[in-house]
Each structure stands twice: as C-alpha cells, then as structure tokens.
C-alpha cells in the first residue's frame, strides 16, 4: 500500500468519526444547555452567565407542583409497570410457545399502542372515558385509575416486545428436562423459565416505566383538576417562561433516568434490547 | 415492531389442555388492550362522523362526513397538513444523513466505551421532548447562547430570530428523532458481516464506492425502518412545535389538541386525528411500495 492510500484512509476515518461526533453532539446539545442553565446565578437565561449557584435546586421544593407532579408520575409509572408486567409477560410466553390461528394479528394488536400517535391515543381515551362515565354513572374521566389504565396500554408493547425477544433465545429442552425430572408446570416456570428471561423482564420494566414516566401527549387528555404528571407540569411551565428552576427539575430527572439506565445495563446490555 | 420475531419463534407440537393454558396466558392482555385501546379508537371514529353546532358548542348525533370535507376544503387546514408533511420529510432526510455515520461508528467500534455511546444516545429519548425543547430555548433565545456568542464576536448587531420560527421547530424535531434513526441503523449495520466491506476494499473499491454498492444496499431494511419510524414521529410531533414554534405556528398534533380543549369541537378534532393517522400510514405505505419496486428491479 502506498503512503498516499494510507493517508487517504486515515483522513476518511477522521471524517467519519467527526461526522459521528457531530451527530452525537447534536443529540446531546439541548441536554447540555439545560444542565448548564440549572447552575446559573441570575434568573434570566442570558449569556455569558453572571455567576453560578446551587440555589435553584432548593427552589424546586418551594413549588408544590413539581413535587406533586413527580410523586404522581412515579406512582402511576410503578403501578402501570407492575400491571403491564403481569399482563405482558404471560402474553409474551403464549406468543412464543404456542402456535395457533391469529397469533400474528394478536401480537400486532399488543404492539399497536406504540404506533398510534400519542395525541390520537389521548383523544380516543378521553372520548371513551366520557362515554363510560355516562353509561356507568361513576367518575372515570380524570381519575387516577383511568390515567393508570391508559399508561398500562403504552407499557404492554415494551414488555411483550422485550420479553418475546429474550424468550426466543431460551432452549425449550431445559424446561422439558425439568418436567421429565418431575417438576410441575408452575415449578418449571418459577425455577427455569423465569430466571432465563429475567433480562427481558428487567429491560421491559425499565423501558415501560420510563415510557410511562415521560409520557406527555396521551396524559394531557387524561389528567384531572389538581392532578398533573411531571411532564405536563414542565410543559405548562415552559409555555410561560424558562428559568433555572425548571432546568434544575430537568437535571434531577436526567440524573434519575441515567442511574436507572446504568443499573439496567448491568443486568442486560442495552445494546441488545434497543 | 418486532412482530416478525414473534412469528418466527420456536413452535411446539400441540398437546391436550394447551389451548386452555394459551388462552389463559394471552386473554388478559388482549382483552385489556381491546377495551382500553380498540374501543376508544372506535368511539373516536364514531364521534368524527357526528355534527357540531358551533354557536352552542354542542355535539349532535349524526352520520356525516362533513368534518372530513371541512378539513380538505378549507385552505387553512390543508396548509397545516402541508406544513406538517413538509417538515416531516425534511426532518427525516436530515436524520438519515446525520444519523448514518454515527450508527456506523457505533456498530463497528471495538471500544469498551460502546455501551457509553449507546447510553448517551438512548438517554435523551427518555428525558422528554419538553425538556429538550427547553435546551433549544436556552440556545436560541434573544439573549441565548447562539445570539450572545455571535454578538460577542461582532458578527451580528441585532439578535437573529430563530425561536418561534419553522427553523427552530425543524432543528428541535431533528434532535428528538435522531436517536431513533441511529439505533435502528446501528442494529442493522451490526448484522452486516465486516468481511463484506473488507472484500470490497481489497478488490480496490474506494470508501464511497463501497458505501454506495455494498453498505447502502445491505443496510436498506434498516434505512427503510428508521426512515418510516422517523417520519411517523415527526408527523405526530406535539411538544416541540408547541414550545419552539410558538402560538402562531401550527402542526397537526397541536391542532388536534386545540380542537379538543380550546374549541371543544370533538367531532372535528376526531376527524383531524384520523386524517393525521391515515395520511401518515398512507405515505408510509407508498414509500414502502416504491422501495419494493426499486428493489425488485
């Protein structure tokens, strides 16, 4: 190889890495500026900053709506993820292990909620809740459980998808061996199947929870008076103004999600599930 | 999305009682999704065929396509649909161009920081569109980083208006959708054998030729999947146009929201929601057909 081709190839490699770095910087740029703003001393986001301060993190606690929003989003996320797992894991087991008519359409039905736009999901559920309220004569619209039900719908596709992916790699022979040795169906599931699909369950739970926690479009239609999730609180605040307080709220959210992802990454390589 | 993975799973021969177990496993989730998703969609569609009396702000039961006709005959609404499609196409093209190099590097790197790269790409997805819009507001505001830097360098005298323009919306949605494109492309490029590229190189192909003749065709399924995903997301964008576009800038998803909450016109809002879904799916199908015809040639 002549030295010219070596130089050319090296230049090409640098150009490629540079282009990749540019794209990554583009993705991260808004987050970097939000984090930067959270530490400004002055309230207005003007550059260069007059100085730095941590006071905005304390200011979050003075605003009940952030604390309440966080608390509601967390409770909805946990409950929706738990129920989503209870519904989604058996469904994934069935879709992989049994062959029956209509398996493809049913699988698509369970994956459908991620494809339907958030605004359409929200409006449809809103209309449905109004109808249910009229028909059943009980409060539905804007209640905690109606909100959770909506969130379960968007958690299920993640659980089904990720558990299915991890089940396909499990050798059926091990389960049959357990049953030949006298284990019943329940023991086989508990001792053999469950441990081998644990990565899929962990990943499904993480992605489900984070999807629920961050959901904005659908939740906009489902929240009631005095009951608002964190993303909606953030949206409504930003519509009015941008200041270091909202940036500090975002920093805490970014930190929590980063920690959750690092923990999950220990159980299951993220590169294999996304 | 991974319906194919479901369909190709290992299949076991039927035994007695299996039908019952299978039903017990699958039924709860199916019934739940049917009640909480399919039924609401059916109701929304039914509502979109109802009448609306604007003077009384009241919905009247009817079976009429008036709402759909109203949308397509009023230039105000068709212009919003046009803007949405135009922005979605631009965003998707930009994401493909920007995303490919990053996806390639992520797929081929041997570095132990590969996981860090992936986490850095996935993290913004979960932070929420509103927070990321806030970042762009800090950058593009009148006293923001972009204008303050240019003024500091003496390049401009008055701040450039970027916030509350189409430019800001496009820049914002690209950043939102780029990770989806990168992750989709990355997984496909990873499955392409490195040796194929090496073969092209050792036969004397320059990098660009290798890309055009080898990598691009082999990565086509991923390119198509990423493009479709990116397009759908851009068509349905809500928070970014709402925050970065300002009150006068209109795209389809904020329009649906506005019809429901501000105008209380549920039939028309429902009709717009279904038009948005149908146009998105329709354009996706057309793109798919064009691609398949090209591939068959």
């Amino acid at each position: 190889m002549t030295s010219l081709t070596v130089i050319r190839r090296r230049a090409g490699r640098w150009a490629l890495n540079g282009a990749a770095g540019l794209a990554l910087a583009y993705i991260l740029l808004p987050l970097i500026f939000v984090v930067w703003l959270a530490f400004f001393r002055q309230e207005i986001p003007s550059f260069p900053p007059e100085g730095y301060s941590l006071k905005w993190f304390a200011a979050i606690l003075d605003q009940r709506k952030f604390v309440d929003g966080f608390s509601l989003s967390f409770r909805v996320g946990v409950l929706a993820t738990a129920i989503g797992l209870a519904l989604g894991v058996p469904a994934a087991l069935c879709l992989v292990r049994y062959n029956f008519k209509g398996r493809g359409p049913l699988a698509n039905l369970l994956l459908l909620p991620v494809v339907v736009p958030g605004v359409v999901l929200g409006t449809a559920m809103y209309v449905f809740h109004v109808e249910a309220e009229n028909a059943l004569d009980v409060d539905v619209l804007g209640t905690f459980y109606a909100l959770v039900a909506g969130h379960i719908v968007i958690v299920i596709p993640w659980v089904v998808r990720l558990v299915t992916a991890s089940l396909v790699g499990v050798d059926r022979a091990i389960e049959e061996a357990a049953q030949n040795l006298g284990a019943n169906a329940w023991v086989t599931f508990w001792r053999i199947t469950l441990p081998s699909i644990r990565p899929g369950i962990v990943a499904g739970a993480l992605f489900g929870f984070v999807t629920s926690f961050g959901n904005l479009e659908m939740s906009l239609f489902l929240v009631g008076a005095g009951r608002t999730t964190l993303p909606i609180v953030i949206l409504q605040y930003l519509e009015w103004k941008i200041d270091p307080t909202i940036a500090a709220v975002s920093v805490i959210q970014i930190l929590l999600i980063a920690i959750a992802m690092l923990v999950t990454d220990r159980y299951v390589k993220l590169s294999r599930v996304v | 999305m991974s319906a194919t993975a479901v369909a190709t799973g290992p299949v076991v021969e039927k035994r007695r009682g299996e039908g019952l177990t299978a039903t017990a496993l699958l039924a709860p989730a199916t019934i739940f999704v049917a009640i909480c998703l399919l039924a609401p969609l059916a109701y929304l569609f039914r509502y979109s065929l109802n009448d609306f009396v604007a003077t009384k702000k009241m919905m009247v039961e009817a079976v009429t396509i008036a709402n759909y006709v109203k949308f397509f005959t009023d230039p105000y609404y068709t212009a919003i649909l046009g803007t949405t499609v135009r922005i979605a196409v631009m965003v998707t093209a930009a994401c493909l161009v920007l995303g490919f190099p990053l996806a390639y590097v992520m797929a081929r790197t041997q570095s132990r920081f590969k996981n860090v790269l992936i986490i850095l790409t996935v993290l913004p997805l979960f932070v929420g569109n509103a927070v990321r819009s806030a970042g762009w507001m800090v950058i593009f505001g009148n006293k923001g980083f972009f204008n303050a830097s240019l003024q500091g360098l003496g390049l401009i005298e008055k701040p450039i208006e970027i916030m509350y323009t189409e430019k800001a919306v496009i820049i914002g949605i690209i950043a939102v959708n780029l990770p989806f494109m990168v992750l989709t492309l990355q997984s496909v490029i990873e499955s392409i054998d490195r040796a194929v590229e090496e073969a092209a190189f050792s036969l004397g192909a320059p990098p660009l030729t290798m890309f055009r003749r080898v990598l691009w065709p082999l990565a086509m399924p991923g390119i198509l999947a990423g493009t479709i995903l990116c397009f759908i997301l851009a068509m349905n964008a809500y928070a970014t146009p709402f925050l970065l576009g300002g009150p006068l800038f209109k795209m389809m998803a904020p329009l649906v929201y506005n019809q429901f909450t501000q105008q209380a016109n549920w039939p028309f809002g429902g009709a717009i929601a279904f038009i948005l879904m149908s146009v998105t799916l329709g354009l996706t199908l057309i793109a798919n057909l064009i691609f398949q015809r090209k591939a068959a040639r």
Side-chain angles (χ1 to χ4, degrees):
Chain A
M1 215 183 270
T2 59
S3 63
L4 191 69
T5 26
V6 172
I7 291 170
R8 250 213 207 136
R9 266 198 124 172
R10 200 164 288 169
R13 187 137 292 273
W14 277 106
L16 182 66
N17 284 337
L22 200 71
L24 191 62
Y26 190 170
I27 293 172
L28 293 174
L29 200 62
L31 294 192
I32 293 167
F33 274 89
V34 166
V35 173
W36 192 1
L37 177 65
F39 297 96
F40 277 23
R41 196 165 63 203
Q42 85 273 21
E43 205 186 336
I44 306 159
S46 60
F47 286 84
E50 290 161 18
Y52 293 97
S53 158
L54 286 171
K55 65 183 170 190
W56 305 109
F57 287 89
I60 298 171
L61 296 173
D62 297 338
Q63 301 219 30
R64 286 299 309 171
K65 59 185 171 190
F66 289 126
V67 182
D68 291 345
F70 182 87
S71 152
L72 179 66
S73 285
F74 190 79
R75 279 181 291 139
V76 170
V78 169
L79 201 55
T81 308
I83 300 174
L85 283 174
L87 292 171
V89 174
L93 270 171
C94 176
L95 288 172
V96 176
R97 288 295 153 82
Y98 297 99
N99 192 20
F100 52 90
K101 240 198 222 161
R103 190 173 61 158
L106 281 175
N108 282 331
L109 171 66
L110 295 183
L111 298 172
L112 183 66
V114 281
V115 191
V116 180
V119 173
V120 177
L121 277 179
T123 45
M125 286 174 186
Y126 181 81
V127 161
F128 185 64
H129 291 168
V130 171
E131 287 284 334
E133 205 163 77
N134 291 340
L136 302 171
D137 204 27
V138 286
D139 278 347
V140 179
L141 192 66
T143 59
F144 177 74
Y145 292 102
L147 181 62
V148 172
H151 279 239
I152 295 170
V153 171
I154 56 170
V155 168
I156 285 178
W158 284 105
V159 175
V160 170
R161 192 174 151 200
L162 294 171
V163 173
T164 302
S166 70
L167 261 172
V168 170
V170 175
D171 190 354
R172 188 71 214 255
I174 306 171
E175 285 171 18
E176 274 161 10
Q179 285 181 332
N180 284 343
L181 292 169
N184 63 30
W186 182 246
V187 172
T188 312
F189 172 74
W190 202 250
R191 302 278 293 272
I192 308 289
T193 317
L194 193 61
S196 51
I197 59 171
R198 192 181 292 140
I201 294 178
V202 171
L206 170 85
F207 281 73
F209 177 79
V210 173
T211 307
S212 157
F213 193 84
N215 181 271
L216 175 72
E217 284 94 339
M218 182 186 78
S219 305
L220 272 172
F221 294 92
L222 303 182
V223 292
R227 193 181 288 115
T228 325
T229 60
L230 186 60
I232 299 177
V233 177
I234 293 177
L235 183 83
Q236 286 169 348
Y237 193 94
L238 283 173
E239 192 188 356
W240 180 50
K241 70 168 177 175
I242 172 148
D243 63 11
T245 311
I246 195 77
V249 172
S250 308
V251 167
I252 290 174
Q253 200 192 339
I254 294 170
L255 274 180
L256 286 176
I257 291 167
I259 291 168
M261 288 182 63
L262 284 171
V263 170
T264 317
D265 197 51
R266 291 184 69 95
Y267 287 95
V268 43
K269 287 283 157 258
L270 284 171
S271 50
R272 292 185 46 205
V273 297
V274 285
Chain B
M1 267 171 245
S2 62
T4 44
V6 174
T8 54
V11 175
V12 201
E13 77 282 7
K14 271 217 157 130
R15 268 171 279 167
R16 258 195 314 151
E18 276 204 337
L20 208 64
T21 324
T23 313
L25 289 174
L26 191 58
T30 311
I31 293 169
F32 188 87
V33 173
I35 292 175
C36 291
L37 179 70
L38 292 188
L41 285 175
Y43 269 102
L44 185 67
F45 184 66
R46 179 65 193 82
Y47 270 40
S48 75
L49 301 176
N50 278 347
D51 242 336
F52 184 75
V53 183
T55 45
K56 288 192 227 158
K57 288 214 163 194
M58 242 182 61
M59 186 170 79
V60 182
E61 200 119 322
V63 182
T64 165
I65 55 163
N67 294 304
Y68 293 89
V69 174
K70 177 182 170 189
F71 184 93
F72 285 109
T73 48
D74 190 335
Y76 175 76
Y77 296 115
T78 48
I80 295 176
L81 180 61
T83 309
T84 309
V85 173
R86 185 164 47 85
I87 288 184
V89 169
M90 281 196 281
V91 163
T92 307
C95 281
L96 186 57
V97 174
L98 279 167
F100 204 99
L102 179 56
Y104 182 81
V105 169
M106 268 165 70
R108 291 287 183 238
T109 183
Q110 308 285 324
S111 154
R112 59 204 170 89
F113 294 115
K114 182 174 179 165
N115 263 356
V116 177
L117 273 181
I118 287 174
I119 287 178
L120 285 179
T121 314
V122 176
L123 177 70
L125 285 183
F126 288 147
V127 173
N129 299 350
V131 170
R132 281 184 285 169
S133 294
W136 294 115
M137 288 158 104
V138 177
I139 298 170
F140 290 136
N142 276 349
K143 289 176 177 175
F145 182 80
F146 182 71
N147 277 318
S149 306
L150 289 184
Q151 278 174 320
L153 292 168
L155 292 175
I156 52 169
E157 283 188 3
K158 271 190 195 156
I160 303 174
E161 293 282 340
I162 299 176
M163 271 304 291
Y164 307 125
T165 66
E166 194 179 298
K167 271 180 245 129
V169 176
I170 292 174
I171 291 171
I173 303 179
I174 292 174
V176 169
N177 290 1
L178 195 49
F180 288 102
M181 179 68 91
V182 171
L183 293 168
T184 316
L185 289 177
Q186 183 243 346
S187 68
V188 171
I189 296 173
E190 216 158 62
S191 66
I192 301 172
D193 197 338
R194 182 81 226 236
V196 187
E197 290 173 29
E198 291 302 333
F201 282 133
S202 62
L203 290 171
L208 276 182
T209 312
M210 188 287 281
F211 172 77
R212 200 163 49 82
R213 303 281 294 271
V214 178
L215 195 55
W216 182 263
L218 284 176
M220 208 31 152
I223 293 167
L224 196 67
T227 308
I228 287 172
L229 180 63
C230 195
F231 179 75
I232 292 176
L233 288 168
M235 286 290 290
N236 299 326
Y238 174 78
T240 318
F242 178 75
L243 289 172
L244 297 181
L248 293 176
F249 186 82
K250 291 272 184 290
M251 274 176 81
M252 288 293 277
L255 183 66
V256 174
Y257 184 75
N258 183 277
Q259 285 298 325
F260 259 79
T261 53
Q262 253 76 51
Q263 315 293 326
N265 191 343
W266 298 358
F268 192 47
I272 301 173
F274 273 94
I275 291 169
L276 173 61
M277 257 202 319
S278 318
V279 170
T280 311
L281 284 178
L283 289 176
T284 308
L285 283 178
I286 291 171
N288 238 329
L289 282 179
I290 292 173
F291 162 77
Q292 273 166 359
R293 188 162 302 165
K294 259 190 180 170
R297 230 187 269 156

